[in-house]
Amino acid sequence: MSDDLLARLRAGDRRALARALTLVENRAAEGEALEAALWHTCGHAYLVGITGPPGAGKSTLIAALAEFLRSQGATVAVLAVDPTSPRSGGALLGDRIRMLEQSIDEGLFIRSVASRGRARGLAPALMGMALLLDAFGFDVIFIETVGAGQDDSAIAEMVDITLLVLVPGLGDSVQLLKAGVLEIAQGYVVNKTDTPGAPALARELRAAQRLATPHAPERPVFLTTATTGEGIAELGRFLLDNRQALLATDLKQRRQQRLLAEAQYRATEAFAKALQHALTELPTEFLARSPREIAAFLTQRAATFLQGADAPEPDTTSS
Ligand SMILES: Nc1nc2c(ncn2[C@@H]2O[C@H](COP(=O)(O)OP(=O)(O)OP(=O)(O)O)[C@@H](O)[C@H]2O)c(=O)[nH]1
Ligand SMILES: [Mg+2]
């Protein structure tokens, strides 16, 4: 890793930040080294996951929230995974956020992240990028993901809070309930309240919660119109209060939690790779055997494959 890049990052150089983010996004060795070097300085930023169906207004909502948070003195970074909705088409981050992107505000940083053509998981790339932004000093980091994928639930475990954005009229809530997506969020946003059906959707969300988790404290439901800013201040204040409460808790514990969630993801990734490798070694005669025997063979081979990978030794010198 270039010490120069690290030094420039530490000095608050935004061009160095952009370059470092690319290295981490590609999960290049240099990026991994940067993460390792900066790990101990992170944990101060408040990480907000924003998820929901395509075109729900996630990007527009983030842009509006970013403006509000800036007005309250908080610095904001945004990581947005490329859009899914054909409607926003070429507009990678939505119109409003692109407008913000062109601002020269030093307290705001926006970056889009490609999800396509990726050999390795999106979640560690995003978390690594968030770590860099955290170490760089941003107060609040938004991570916009497309929703309902495996990566989304992984990311939900690594961020401080996840908001699920829904819009009236899609009949989403029932489907989301089935898919278990409601559970990954700690708060719900009913966006596009300028279109019919918002109060009904909010009611439905409250009812669905009571049904799914009758004893858990009720998660808040916010009503917003991201395009006009309606309801944004209330949601923004909720986030700031939640952040304040979190910052009062143990930093080390929070950092460890994030660390473990990401490590677990990476380990799962390694296991999956080992299993893929084992499959290529399955003798054809095994196809006549029982699934249990095939599984035993695969497990054995995968374990051997994993043993070949170098595991770091416990380091007794670092805390
Ligand atoms: N009427 C109305 N339109 C909105 C609102 N919020 C966003 N939109 C519009 O909805 C469209 C999609 O908004 P985006 O912010 O790009 O939605 P997204 O969820 O980020 O979309 P993807 O990233 O593609 O999944 C845009 O045309 C927005 O202008 C709202 O509150 N009311
Ligand atoms: Mg978007």
Side-chain angles (χ1 to χ4, degrees), residues 258-276:
R258 239 190 245 176
L259 174 76
L260 273 180
E262 192 182 335
Q264 197 182 331
Y265 185 100
R266 285 172 180 257
T268 308
E269 207 176 39
F271 282 125
K273 193 174 145 207
L275 181 59
Q276 281 302 320

Side-chain angles (χ1 to χ4, degrees), residues 209-225:
Q209 277 192 73
R210 279 194 291 272
L211 208 64
T213 49
H215 305 296
E218 204 159 304
R219 297 165 214 197
V221 179
F222 297 93
L223 292 152
T224 61
T225 306

Side-chain angles (χ1 to χ4, degrees), residues 58-59 83 92 144:
K58 300 178 292 294
S59 297
L92 204 57
E144 177 188 339

Side-chain angles (χ1 to χ4, degrees), residues 49-318:
I50 303 278
T51 190
K58 300 178 292 294
S59 297
T60 315
L61 187 77
I62 291 172
L65 282 169
E67 279 177 276
F68 172 79
L69 293 170
R70 288 299 295 129
S71 78
Q72 302 298 303
T75 57
V76 179
V78 181
L79 293 172
V81 176
D82 53 17
T84 43
S85 70
R87 260 174 301 165
S88 32
L92 204 57
L93 296 171
D95 303 333
R96 189 154 173 177
I97 214 157
R98 272 188 308 145
M99 253 161 59
L100 272 189
E101 209 175 10
Q102 275 146 29
S103 80
I104 46 160
D105 181 359
E106 284 274 313
L108 185 71
F109 188 92
I110 296 163
R111 170 80 173 225
S112 61
V113 183
S115 67
R116 276 173 276 276
R118 198 162 256 291
R120 295 205 286 163
L122 184 60
L126 280 174
M127 291 317 294
M129 293 171 89
L131 185 152
L132 278 189
L133 293 164
D134 183 339
F136 200 79
F138 288 101
D139 297 323
V140 180
I141 302 170
F142 287 101
I143 303 180
E144 177 188 339
T145 58
V146 293
Q150 186 198 342
D151 275 318
D152 294 278
S153 31
I155 288 159
E157 288 183 15
M158 302 180 206
V159 297
D160 294 309
I161 188 170
T162 298
L163 297 176
L164 175 63
V165 184
L166 296 170
V167 284
L170 288 182
D172 286 296
S173 58
V174 176
Q175 287 167 37
L176 284 160
L177 186 62
K178 273 192 206 147
V181 178
L182 280 185
E183 273 94 283
I184 71 166
Q186 287 85 46
Y188 307 110
V189 181
V190 173
N191 189 38
K192 305 198 185 182
T193 50
D194 54 330
T195 63
L201 177 56
R203 273 198 304 277
E204 219 178 310
L205 277 166
R206 291 193 186 99
Q209 277 192 73
R210 279 194 291 272
L211 208 64
T213 49
H215 305 296
E218 204 159 304
R219 297 165 214 197
V221 179
F222 297 93
L223 292 152
T224 61
T225 306
T227 39
T228 63
E230 180 95 24
I232 293 299
E234 197 193 345
L235 177 55
R237 270 187 218 104
F238 166 78
L239 290 176
L240 285 175
D241 288 348
N242 189 253
R243 168 172 174 259
Q244 210 55 46
L246 259 177
L247 289 182
T249 67
D250 187 26
L251 178 71
K252 197 170 167 189
Q253 197 186 326
R254 259 165 30 88
R255 203 180 275 164
Q256 267 172 7
Q257 218 172 326
R258 239 190 245 176
L259 174 76
L260 273 180
E262 192 182 335
Q264 197 182 331
Y265 185 100
R266 285 172 180 257
T268 308
E269 207 176 39
F271 282 125
K273 193 174 145 207
L275 181 59
Q276 281 302 320
H277 180 82
L279 272 166
T280 65
E281 291 188 340
L282 184 74
T284 43
E285 58 108 348
F286 263 82
L287 295 176
R289 301 212 191 166
S290 75
R292 195 186 59 80
E293 283 175 303
I294 300 176
F297 173 88
L298 291 174
T299 314
Q300 267 275 304
R301 276 302 157 95
T304 311
F305 181 75
L306 282 171
Q307 268 157 19
D310 48 327
E313 292 296 322
D315 179 2
T316 46
T317 55
S318 74

